[in-house]
Amino acid sequence: MQDRPQITTAIPKHRYEIGGYAATLLGEIVAGDARTYRYILAFVRQGQREPVFYVCAEPAAPPDRADGAYQLRVVSEALTEVVDRDDRWGELETFADQALKLGAQALGLQRDPIVKRL
């Protein structure tokens, strides 16, 4: 995965289980790549170590801030794409709700219950 976030340190804010996946919402992120992250929700298949899907809230570039202070970017093996820009993605619970929906849709888990663990 070429655009995978290179997380050096982060604080887990919430943990979820959905289908055969565990999802961890990270904040206070220090990364070793060129990006700045507000939040990351990483989806890991049960029994695996590496995430297969990420939803990232990142500060928008200055020219794009008219659409919102943060951009929502999804990263998987198949794609990296900014899917939205909005001020709301800087709010933890709002980001979490949308990131879970995006991950469930991308991984085919829409019918599976989401269980919050932390």
Side-chain angles (χ1 to χ4, degrees):
M1 203 179 309
Q2 64 186 16
D3 279 341
R4 172 192 310 260
Q6 302 299 313
I7 301 163
T8 305
T9 62
I11 304 295
K13 300 292 186 180
H14 298 308
R15 294 185 199 278
Y16 307 89
E17 291 179 12
I18 178 171
Y21 292 83
T24 303
L25 195 156
L26 303 171
E28 301 175 45
I29 301 158
V30 176
D33 54 37
R35 298 185 187 276
T36 301
Y37 301 97
R38 172 79 171 182
Y39 302 115
I40 295 174
L41 185 64
F43 289 81
V44 179
R45 277 191 188 99
Q46 298 287 355
Q48 302 292 314
R49 294 176 51 96
E50 291 297 318
V52 296
F53 191 80
Y54 297 89
V55 182
C56 308
E58 306 165 350
D64 298 326
R65 287 196 183 133
D67 295 329
Y70 293 93
Q71 63 184 23
L72 207 56
R73 185 169 62 95
V74 296
V75 179
S76 72
E77 198 66 53
L79 72 109
T80 297
E81 183 177 344
V82 173
V83 295
D84 194 22
R85 286 186 185 87
D86 200 297
D87 293 343
R88 298 177 302 149
W89 308 137
E91 299 168 16
L92 180 70
E93 296 304 327
T94 305
F95 168 77
D97 289 345
Q98 185 62 27
L100 285 163
K101 288 176 189 170
L102 287 169
Q105 183 179 17
L107 298 169
L109 306 171
Q110 298 95 316
R111 295 177 195 258
D112 292 303
I114 298 170
V115 180
K116 189 173 182 180
R117 295 290 183 202
L118 171 74

